[in-house]
Amino acid sequence: MKKIILILISLSTFSNEVKFNAINAPIYKQEKENLLLDSKSGKVVLNFWASWCTSCIEELPLLESLKLDPKSKSYKFYGISSGDTDKKIAKFVKRHGYPYTIIKDEDKSISKSWNITTLPITVIIDNGKILYTGTRPPKSLP
């Protein structure tokens, strides 16, 4: 019986719908610049991740291949570091690399406003319309 309960809890984690919200947040290592993302920002790939997340590490090659997709020229790519300090981000990047521009979400306010309850999550957007949401990036861009 416990296994069934755990499975139901696990499935309910993914049932929350990600919702588009504008973002105005600092870019890692570019403190004087912010990402300004709104419904007129064009095609964007967002990857919500954290330094402690082993699945986030495992998906790095998938994120890199998505950025190399022939359609990628029309997209902007951002990683939202959920809950990490600059020190943790730096350690992660030094150890594993990260293929996207990193946006700082140290207090998790962006993640919460997007209804992100689990990591990693990749979201693909076209002018405010969410085209894709998943715990793994898609094999190709829409």
Side-chain angles (χ1 to χ4, degrees), residues 7-74:
I7 290 170
L8 291 174
I9 291 170
S10 173
L11 290 174
S12 71
T13 302
F14 297 105
S15 67
N16 293 334
E17 187 174 323
V18 174
K19 58 184 181 176
F20 180 88
N21 269 316
I23 297 174
N24 183 353
I27 299 172
Y28 173 67
K29 286 204 168 187
Q30 298 175 27
E31 302 308 316
K32 294 181 182 175
E33 290 188 51
N34 275 14
L35 166 67
L36 301 172
L37 177 71
D38 62 21
S39 62
K40 298 174 187 163
S41 293
K43 295 181 178 185
V44 178
V45 176
L46 294 179
N47 176 252
F48 290 84
W49 66 280
S51 62
W52 52 264
C53 171
T54 56
S55 294
C56 299
I57 296 166
E58 291 169 3
E59 78 171 357
L60 287 171
L62 300 172
L63 294 172
E64 184 65 39
S65 67
L66 195 61
K67 195 171 181 184
L68 297 173
D69 184 301
K71 298 175 190 168
S72 69
K73 291 178 184 174
S74 62

Side-chain angles (χ1 to χ4, degrees), residues 33 88 125:
E33 290 188 51
K88 287 181 181 179
I125 305 157

